[in-house]
Amino acid sequence: MADQPIVLDTLAALHAAFWMDPSLRHPALGLCTLEQVTSCLGPSVPARLRLVVGSIDLLDAAEEGWATMRSLVDAGFFARLTAIAEQPDPLAAAAARYPWTLVRGDVRPPNVGIDRELDRVVLLDWAIPAYGPPALDLAWWLFSSYTLVDAGPEPIIEIYRDALERRLSQPVDDSWWEPSFGLSVVSMLCTLGPFIATYQSEMLSWWVEQAE
């Protein structure tokens, strides 16, 4: 996808602009927490929400996806992941040791508009913004645009990381990037793992490897 660099640079610019901004944590902003992001589609959520909203396609797909994932990954990994999805506080505490910023969430091609005349990106549908690790948005993009990436996820990660370094005017050091990226992947597997297992099963092992 020729537009990958400009989209990833836009995410990096957003993240750099709100880098470690303490105001993001003010309750008046109503931003999602990492705990909420991680647990929003956990294994027990579909059954609980059906009591309120009835049966809808998203809940059915999530429930079926968790069952599919259980059959595809190591039993120990599945148990650890579902435990985090149901009780994400330890993951959020671990992530808080590393840099955080405003994350847009739900970064998918349908929510990204590109103005080619002005060479700019417009991020649409800000339904689930949060504060947390910058790689949360990168993980969303990797999940949603994987069919557009011929070379695999690694070049996309490097494009984003290089862009973030330029926007921050400082190195993105392995000492925080690697653990923060891993925690972001765990969080996103708690949310998107069921859909990866169902619709992108050929990529599931890559996600699990990053999470471990």
Side-chain angles (χ1 to χ4, degrees):
M1 181 182 181
D3 298 319
Q4 291 275 2
I6 188 174
V7 172
L8 294 164
D9 183 64
T10 297
L11 292 176
L14 170 68
H15 297 156
F18 292 93
W19 198 250
M20 302 290 285
D21 186 340
S23 68
L24 296 176
R25 295 181 171 178
H26 197 289
L29 288 180
L31 296 177
C32 296
T33 65
L34 185 57
E35 292 92 333
Q36 291 169 328
V37 170
T38 303
S39 63
C40 66
L41 278 178
S44 67
V45 170
R48 293 203 311 269
L49 285 183
R50 280 197 193 93
L51 297 176
V52 180
V53 301
S55 182
I56 59 176
D57 290 344
L58 176 64
L59 299 181
D60 294 342
E63 191 168 65
E64 293 170 7
W66 279 110
T68 300
M69 187 191 294
R70 180 193 291 272
S71 71
L72 295 176
V73 301
D74 174 75
F77 177 84
F78 185 81
R80 294 191 297 273
L81 187 70
T82 54
I84 293 170
E86 298 293 348
Q87 180 48 264
D89 290 359
L91 179 137
R97 298 197 295 264
Y98 307 110
W100 45 270
T101 185
L102 176 66
V103 290
R104 182 238 179 272
D106 200 14
V107 184
R108 299 179 293 119
N111 292 336
V112 175
I114 300 177
D115 186 328
R116 302 187 189 284
E117 290 187 3
L118 298 178
D119 196 31
R120 67 178 182 180
V121 172
V122 179
L123 300 175
L124 308 171
D125 188 14
W126 286 70
I128 51 172
Y131 60 88
L136 281 176
D137 277 342
L138 176 60
W140 262 105
W141 185 250
L142 288 170
F143 161 75
S144 61
S145 65
Y146 91 109
T147 58
L148 306 176
V149 183
D150 295 331
E154 284 77 11
I156 303 307
I157 296 170
E158 288 306 310
I159 291 171
Y160 168 79
R161 188 170 169 175
D162 289 346
L164 186 60
E165 287 190 339
R166 289 195 305 273
R167 292 292 185 170
L168 290 173
S169 298
Q170 66 185 54
V172 173
D173 192 77
D174 285 346
S175 63
W176 71 261
W177 170 259
E178 291 186 359
S180 181
F181 180 78
L183 291 166
S184 299
V185 168
V186 172
S187 174
M188 296 309 291
L189 274 175
C190 290
T191 305
L192 299 175
F195 305 100
I196 295 171
T198 301
Y199 303 111
Q200 303 176 13
S201 59
E202 70 278 11
M203 288 296 297
L204 184 58
S205 62
W206 182 87
W207 287 97
V208 171
E209 181 181 344
Q210 307 310 305
E212 292 183 322

